[in-house]
Short mmCIF file of all heavy atoms in Angstrom, two decimals:
data_model
loop_
_atom_site.label_atom_id
_atom_site.label_comp_id
_atom_site.label_asym_id
_atom_site.label_seq_id
_atom_site.Cartn_x
_atom_site.Cartn_y
_atom_site.Cartn_z
N ASP A 308 163.90 38.71 127.97
CA ASP A 308 163.24 37.95 126.91
C ASP A 308 164.13 37.76 125.69
O ASP A 308 163.79 38.13 124.58
CB ASP A 308 161.93 38.64 126.48
CG ASP A 308 160.95 38.78 127.64
OD1 ASP A 308 160.73 37.78 128.32
OD2 ASP A 308 160.44 39.89 127.85
N GLN A 309 165.29 37.16 125.92
CA GLN A 309 166.22 36.89 124.84
C GLN A 309 166.25 35.40 124.50
O GLN A 309 166.09 34.54 125.38
CB GLN A 309 167.64 37.32 125.24
CG GLN A 309 167.77 38.80 125.54
CD GLN A 309 167.44 39.67 124.35
OE1 GLN A 309 168.18 39.73 123.38
NE2 GLN A 309 166.29 40.34 124.42
N ILE A 310 166.43 35.12 123.23
CA ILE A 310 166.62 33.75 122.75
C ILE A 310 168.07 33.61 122.30
O ILE A 310 168.60 34.50 121.63
CB ILE A 310 165.67 33.44 121.57
CG1 ILE A 310 164.23 33.27 122.06
CG2 ILE A 310 166.12 32.19 120.82
CD1 ILE A 310 163.24 33.06 120.95
N LEU A 311 168.69 32.51 122.67
CA LEU A 311 170.03 32.19 122.17
C LEU A 311 169.89 31.04 121.18
O LEU A 311 169.50 29.92 121.54
CB LEU A 311 170.96 31.80 123.32
CG LEU A 311 172.39 31.45 122.91
CD1 LEU A 311 173.07 32.65 122.25
CD2 LEU A 311 173.20 30.99 124.12
N LEU A 312 170.18 31.33 119.93
CA LEU A 312 170.10 30.34 118.86
C LEU A 312 171.52 29.90 118.51
O LEU A 312 172.36 30.73 118.16
CB LEU A 312 169.43 30.95 117.63
CG LEU A 312 169.40 30.11 116.36
CD1 LEU A 312 168.48 28.91 116.53
CD2 LEU A 312 168.95 30.95 115.16
N THR A 313 171.78 28.61 118.62
CA THR A 313 173.11 28.08 118.29
C THR A 313 172.97 27.11 117.12
O THR A 313 172.14 26.19 117.16
CB THR A 313 173.74 27.36 119.48
OG1 THR A 313 173.81 28.26 120.59
CG2 THR A 313 175.15 26.89 119.14
N VAL A 314 173.75 27.35 116.08
CA VAL A 314 173.78 26.43 114.93
C VAL A 314 175.18 25.85 114.84
O VAL A 314 176.17 26.55 114.96
CB VAL A 314 173.39 27.14 113.62
CG1 VAL A 314 171.93 27.55 113.66
CG2 VAL A 314 174.25 28.35 113.36
N LYS A 315 175.25 24.54 114.65
CA LYS A 315 176.53 23.84 114.70
C LYS A 315 176.63 22.85 113.55
O LYS A 315 175.68 22.13 113.24
CB LYS A 315 176.64 23.10 116.03
CG LYS A 315 177.91 22.30 116.22
CD LYS A 315 177.89 21.61 117.59
CE LYS A 315 179.12 20.76 117.81
NZ LYS A 315 179.10 20.07 119.12
N LEU A 333 167.64 33.74 108.08
CA LEU A 333 167.13 34.68 109.08
C LEU A 333 166.63 35.96 108.40
O LEU A 333 165.58 36.50 108.78
CB LEU A 333 168.21 35.02 110.10
CG LEU A 333 168.71 33.84 110.95
CD1 LEU A 333 169.83 34.30 111.88
CD2 LEU A 333 167.58 33.22 111.76
N ILE A 338 164.14 38.22 110.61
CA ILE A 338 164.57 38.07 112.00
C ILE A 338 165.82 38.91 112.22
O ILE A 338 166.84 38.72 111.55
CB ILE A 338 164.85 36.59 112.34
CG1 ILE A 338 163.55 35.79 112.25
CG2 ILE A 338 165.47 36.46 113.73
CD1 ILE A 338 163.74 34.30 112.43
N VAL A 350 178.04 28.78 115.53
CA VAL A 350 177.79 30.21 115.69
C VAL A 350 176.59 30.37 116.62
O VAL A 350 175.59 29.65 116.51
CB VAL A 350 177.53 30.91 114.33
CG1 VAL A 350 176.38 30.26 113.59
CG2 VAL A 350 177.24 32.40 114.53
N ALA A 351 176.73 31.27 117.60
CA ALA A 351 175.65 31.56 118.56
C ALA A 351 175.13 32.96 118.31
O ALA A 351 175.90 33.91 118.12
CB ALA A 351 176.16 31.41 119.99
N ILE A 352 173.82 33.09 118.33
CA ILE A 352 173.16 34.34 117.95
C ILE A 352 172.09 34.66 118.97
O ILE A 352 171.32 33.78 119.38
CB ILE A 352 172.50 34.20 116.56
CG1 ILE A 352 173.52 33.86 115.49
CG2 ILE A 352 171.73 35.46 116.18
CD1 ILE A 352 172.90 33.32 114.21
N THR A 353 172.01 35.93 119.40
CA THR A 353 170.91 36.33 120.26
C THR A 353 169.83 37.02 119.44
O THR A 353 170.12 37.78 118.52
CB THR A 353 171.37 37.27 121.39
OG1 THR A 353 171.82 38.50 120.84
CG2 THR A 353 172.46 36.64 122.22
N ILE A 354 168.58 36.73 119.80
CA ILE A 354 167.43 37.29 119.11
C ILE A 354 166.44 37.79 120.15
O ILE A 354 166.16 37.10 121.14
CB ILE A 354 166.76 36.22 118.21
CG1 ILE A 354 167.74 35.78 117.11
CG2 ILE A 354 165.47 36.75 117.59
CD1 ILE A 354 167.27 34.57 116.34
N ASP A 355 165.94 38.99 119.93
CA ASP A 355 164.98 39.58 120.86
C ASP A 355 163.66 38.82 120.78
O ASP A 355 163.20 38.45 119.70
CB ASP A 355 164.76 41.05 120.49
CG ASP A 355 164.23 41.86 121.65
OD1 ASP A 355 164.42 41.43 122.79
OD2 ASP A 355 163.64 42.93 121.40
N ASN A 356 163.05 38.59 121.94
CA ASN A 356 161.82 37.78 122.00
C ASN A 356 160.83 38.44 122.96
O ASN A 356 160.45 37.86 123.97
CB ASN A 356 162.15 36.36 122.46
CG ASN A 356 160.97 35.43 122.39
OD1 ASN A 356 160.19 35.47 121.46
ND2 ASN A 356 160.83 34.58 123.40
N ARG A 363 156.31 37.16 117.83
CA ARG A 363 157.16 36.72 118.94
C ARG A 363 157.78 35.37 118.63
O ARG A 363 157.16 34.49 118.04
CB ARG A 363 156.34 36.64 120.22
CG ARG A 363 157.19 36.41 121.47
CD ARG A 363 156.39 36.65 122.73
NE ARG A 363 157.29 36.64 123.89
CZ ARG A 363 157.47 35.60 124.67
NH1 ARG A 363 156.83 34.47 124.43
NH2 ARG A 363 158.30 35.67 125.69
N GLY A 364 159.06 35.20 119.04
CA GLY A 364 159.71 33.91 118.95
C GLY A 364 160.23 33.59 117.56
O GLY A 364 160.11 34.37 116.61
N ILE A 365 160.83 32.41 117.45
CA ILE A 365 161.34 31.91 116.17
C ILE A 365 160.37 30.85 115.67
O ILE A 365 160.12 29.85 116.35
CB ILE A 365 162.75 31.31 116.33
CG1 ILE A 365 163.71 32.34 116.92
CG2 ILE A 365 163.27 30.80 115.00
CD1 ILE A 365 165.09 31.81 117.17
N LYS A 366 159.85 31.04 114.51
CA LYS A 366 158.89 30.09 113.97
C LYS A 366 159.57 28.76 113.67
O LYS A 366 160.74 28.70 113.32
CB LYS A 366 158.25 30.65 112.70
CG LYS A 366 157.41 31.90 112.94
CD LYS A 366 156.82 32.43 111.65
CE LYS A 366 155.99 33.67 111.90
NZ LYS A 366 155.43 34.21 110.63
N GLN A 367 158.77 27.70 113.78
CA GLN A 367 159.30 26.36 113.55
C GLN A 367 159.84 26.21 112.13
O GLN A 367 160.82 25.48 111.91
CB GLN A 367 158.20 25.33 113.81
CG GLN A 367 158.68 23.89 113.75
CD GLN A 367 159.75 23.59 114.78
OE1 GLN A 367 159.64 24.00 115.93
NE2 GLN A 367 160.81 22.88 114.37
N GLU A 368 159.24 26.88 111.18
CA GLU A 368 159.72 26.75 109.80
C GLU A 368 161.15 27.28 109.65
O GLU A 368 161.92 26.77 108.84
CB GLU A 368 158.79 27.47 108.83
CG GLU A 368 158.64 28.96 109.07
CD GLU A 368 157.58 29.58 108.19
OE1 GLU A 368 157.80 29.65 106.96
OE2 GLU A 368 156.53 30.00 108.71
N VAL A 369 161.53 28.28 110.45
CA VAL A 369 162.90 28.79 110.43
C VAL A 369 163.85 27.71 110.94
O VAL A 369 164.89 27.43 110.34
CB VAL A 369 163.03 30.07 111.27
CG1 VAL A 369 164.48 30.57 111.27
CG2 VAL A 369 162.09 31.15 110.76
N LEU A 370 163.48 27.11 112.07
CA LEU A 370 164.31 26.06 112.65
C LEU A 370 164.42 24.87 111.70
O LEU A 370 165.50 24.26 111.57
CB LEU A 370 163.74 25.61 113.99
CG LEU A 370 163.59 26.72 115.06
CD1 LEU A 370 162.97 26.13 116.33
CD2 LEU A 370 164.92 27.36 115.37
N ASP A 371 163.35 24.54 111.02
CA ASP A 371 163.37 23.42 110.08
C ASP A 371 164.31 23.69 108.91
O ASP A 371 165.05 22.79 108.48
CB ASP A 371 161.95 23.15 109.55
CG ASP A 371 161.02 22.59 110.63
OD1 ASP A 371 161.54 22.10 111.66
OD2 ASP A 371 159.80 22.66 110.44
N GLU A 372 164.30 24.90 108.42
CA GLU A 372 165.19 25.25 107.30
C GLU A 372 166.65 25.18 107.72
O GLU A 372 167.51 24.70 106.98
CB GLU A 372 164.86 26.65 106.77
CG GLU A 372 163.55 26.72 106.00
CD GLU A 372 163.28 28.10 105.45
OE1 GLU A 372 164.25 28.75 104.98
OE2 GLU A 372 162.12 28.55 105.48
N LEU A 373 166.95 25.67 108.93
CA LEU A 373 168.32 25.60 109.43
C LEU A 373 168.75 24.16 109.68
O LEU A 373 169.89 23.77 109.41
CB LEU A 373 168.44 26.41 110.73
CG LEU A 373 168.30 27.93 110.62
CD1 LEU A 373 168.19 28.57 112.00
CD2 LEU A 373 169.48 28.53 109.85
N ALA A 374 167.81 23.34 110.15
CA ALA A 374 168.13 21.94 110.49
C ALA A 374 168.47 21.10 109.27
O ALA A 374 169.02 20.00 109.41
CB ALA A 374 166.96 21.32 111.25
N CYS A 377 172.42 21.88 109.45
CA CYS A 377 173.21 22.00 110.68
C CYS A 377 172.36 21.61 111.88
O CYS A 377 171.13 21.52 111.80
CB CYS A 377 173.73 23.44 110.86
SG CYS A 377 172.44 24.69 110.95
N GLU A 378 173.03 21.38 113.01
CA GLU A 378 172.33 21.13 114.27
C GLU A 378 171.88 22.47 114.84
O GLU A 378 172.61 23.45 114.81
CB GLU A 378 173.26 20.45 115.27
CG GLU A 378 173.75 19.08 114.85
CD GLU A 378 174.72 18.49 115.85
OE1 GLU A 378 174.70 18.92 117.03
OE2 GLU A 378 175.53 17.63 115.46
N VAL A 379 170.68 22.47 115.39
CA VAL A 379 170.10 23.72 115.89
C VAL A 379 169.66 23.53 117.35
O VAL A 379 169.03 22.53 117.69
CB VAL A 379 168.87 24.15 115.06
CG1 VAL A 379 168.32 25.48 115.57
CG2 VAL A 379 169.24 24.25 113.58
N SER A 380 170.01 24.48 118.19
CA SER A 380 169.49 24.47 119.57
C SER A 380 169.01 25.87 119.93
O SER A 380 169.56 26.87 119.46
CB SER A 380 170.58 24.02 120.56
OG SER A 380 171.64 24.96 120.62
N VAL A 381 167.97 25.91 120.75
CA VAL A 381 167.36 27.17 121.15
C VAL A 381 167.27 27.22 122.66
O VAL A 381 166.77 26.27 123.29
CB VAL A 381 165.96 27.34 120.53
CG1 VAL A 381 165.31 28.63 121.02
CG2 VAL A 381 166.03 27.32 119.02
N GLU A 382 167.76 28.29 123.27
CA GLU A 382 167.66 28.50 124.71
C GLU A 382 166.91 29.79 124.97
O GLU A 382 167.12 30.79 124.28
CB GLU A 382 169.05 28.59 125.34
CG GLU A 382 169.94 27.38 125.14
CD GLU A 382 171.35 27.62 125.63
OE1 GLU A 382 171.49 28.08 126.79
OE2 GLU A 382 172.29 27.38 124.86
N ASP A 383 166.04 29.76 125.99
CA ASP A 383 165.34 30.99 126.36
C ASP A 383 165.52 31.25 127.85
O ASP A 383 166.44 30.70 128.46
CB ASP A 383 163.87 30.93 125.96
CG ASP A 383 163.16 29.70 126.52
OD1 ASP A 383 163.71 29.07 127.44
OD2 ASP A 383 162.05 29.39 126.03
N ASN A 384 164.67 32.07 128.42
CA ASN A 384 164.80 32.49 129.83
C ASN A 384 166.16 33.15 130.08
O ASN A 384 166.80 32.96 131.10
CB ASN A 384 164.61 31.31 130.79
CG ASN A 384 164.40 31.77 132.23
OD1 ASN A 384 163.78 32.81 132.46
ND2 ASN A 384 164.90 31.02 133.18
N LEU A 385 166.59 33.94 129.09
CA LEU A 385 167.86 34.65 129.18
C LEU A 385 167.63 36.15 129.10
O LEU A 385 166.64 36.62 128.53
CB LEU A 385 168.78 34.22 128.04
CG LEU A 385 169.22 32.75 128.03
CD1 LEU A 385 169.91 32.40 126.72
CD2 LEU A 385 170.17 32.48 129.21
N ARG A 415 176.32 33.33 130.05
CA ARG A 415 176.11 32.40 128.95
C ARG A 415 176.86 32.81 127.69
O ARG A 415 177.22 31.99 126.87
CB ARG A 415 174.61 32.30 128.66
CG ARG A 415 174.23 31.28 127.63
CD ARG A 415 174.59 29.88 128.10
NE ARG A 415 174.38 28.89 127.04
CZ ARG A 415 175.26 28.59 126.10
NH1 ARG A 415 176.43 29.23 126.08
NH2 ARG A 415 175.00 27.69 125.20
N LEU A 429 175.11 37.59 128.18
CA LEU A 429 173.83 36.98 128.55
C LEU A 429 173.94 36.35 129.93
O LEU A 429 174.99 35.81 130.29
CB LEU A 429 173.43 35.90 127.55
CG LEU A 429 172.97 36.31 126.16
CD1 LEU A 429 172.66 35.08 125.33
CD2 LEU A 429 171.76 37.22 126.22
N GLN A 431 171.18 34.30 133.08
CA GLN A 431 169.85 33.77 133.34
C GLN A 431 168.92 34.90 133.79
O GLN A 431 169.31 35.77 134.58
CB GLN A 431 169.91 32.70 134.44
CG GLN A 431 170.69 31.46 134.04
CD GLN A 431 170.03 30.71 132.89
OE1 GLN A 431 168.82 30.53 132.88
NE2 GLN A 431 170.83 30.28 131.92
#
Side-chain angles (χ1 to χ4, degrees):
D308 301 311
Q309 300 298 289
I310 286 176
L311 180 61
L312 173 69
T313 303
V314 293
K315 178 180 178 181
L333 297 178
I338 295 174
V350 56
I352 300 163
T353 66
I354 297 169
D355 202 22
N356 187 41
R363 190 167 190 262
I365 303 177
K366 295 179 180 179
Q367 186 61 43
E368 60 187 292
V369 178
L370 302 179
D371 291 342
E372 288 182 39
L373 292 169
C377 59
E378 297 177 22
V379 182
S380 65
V381 177
E382 301 172 50
D383 55 16
N384 195 35
L385 296 169
R415 185 63 187 85
L429 288 179
Q431 295 296 316

